[in-house]
Amino acid sequence: MTRPDTIRFRHNQAILVAAIVAFVGALPLATASLWLLWVLLIPLAVLVWAWRAGTDADSRELRLRALAGQRRIPWDRVAELAGDARGRGVVRLDDGELLVLPAVRAADLPRLVSATGQDLPGGAG
């Protein structure tokens, strides 16, 4: 359950619609033979990923959510938030590990930092 002060970043909801359309479109093929039922797993996995994957941030931690799991990162482990060459948000941890923040763009980083309750340097926050 998310707290009211949690900022959530999710992928575009059009991916959900595309996954539903792909699932419905795969039904005739999958029901033609029992050997083809696995075809339904692909749009189903995309649907679950689009609904679940993303980044949650609050004053205590970052939560990076994927298809089947999540990783919690306390803010005191974060050394740097930045954008990469593709415009995605990335975090560098205190041990040097770089992680891509799911569904976070470089332009979203000020909003992400605001979840900590701190201001950005230079008053932009």
Side-chain angles (χ1 to χ4, degrees), residues 1-23:
M1 181 171 195
T2 60
R3 295 180 18 194
D5 59 344
T6 300
I7 295 176
R8 298 180 65 197
F9 296 90
R10 294 291 181 267
H11 295 285
N12 191 320
Q13 296 301 302
I15 298 171
L16 283 171
V17 175
I20 291 168
V21 169
F23 184 84

Side-chain angles (χ1 to χ4, degrees), residues 21-93:
V21 169
F23 184 84
V24 171
L27 278 173
L29 177 65
T31 57
S33 169
L34 286 176
W35 296 104
L36 295 174
L37 278 176
W38 65 268
V39 170
L40 293 176
L41 295 177
I42 296 168
L44 190 61
V46 171
L47 182 110
V48 172
W49 171 81
W51 173 69
R52 179 169 161 58
T55 302
D56 297 338
D58 59 27
S59 60
R60 295 178 321 220
E61 65 188 1
L62 282 168
R63 281 178 304 285
L64 312 180
R65 297 166 46 113
L67 175 65
Q70 73 176 354
R71 183 169 180 179
R72 294 174 178 261
I73 302 169
W75 282 110
D76 60 0
R77 291 225 32 231
V78 174
E80 179 183 11
L81 288 169
D84 67 2
R86 295 177 59 187
R88 300 175 300 183
V90 295
V91 60
R92 185 172 56 84
L93 303 180

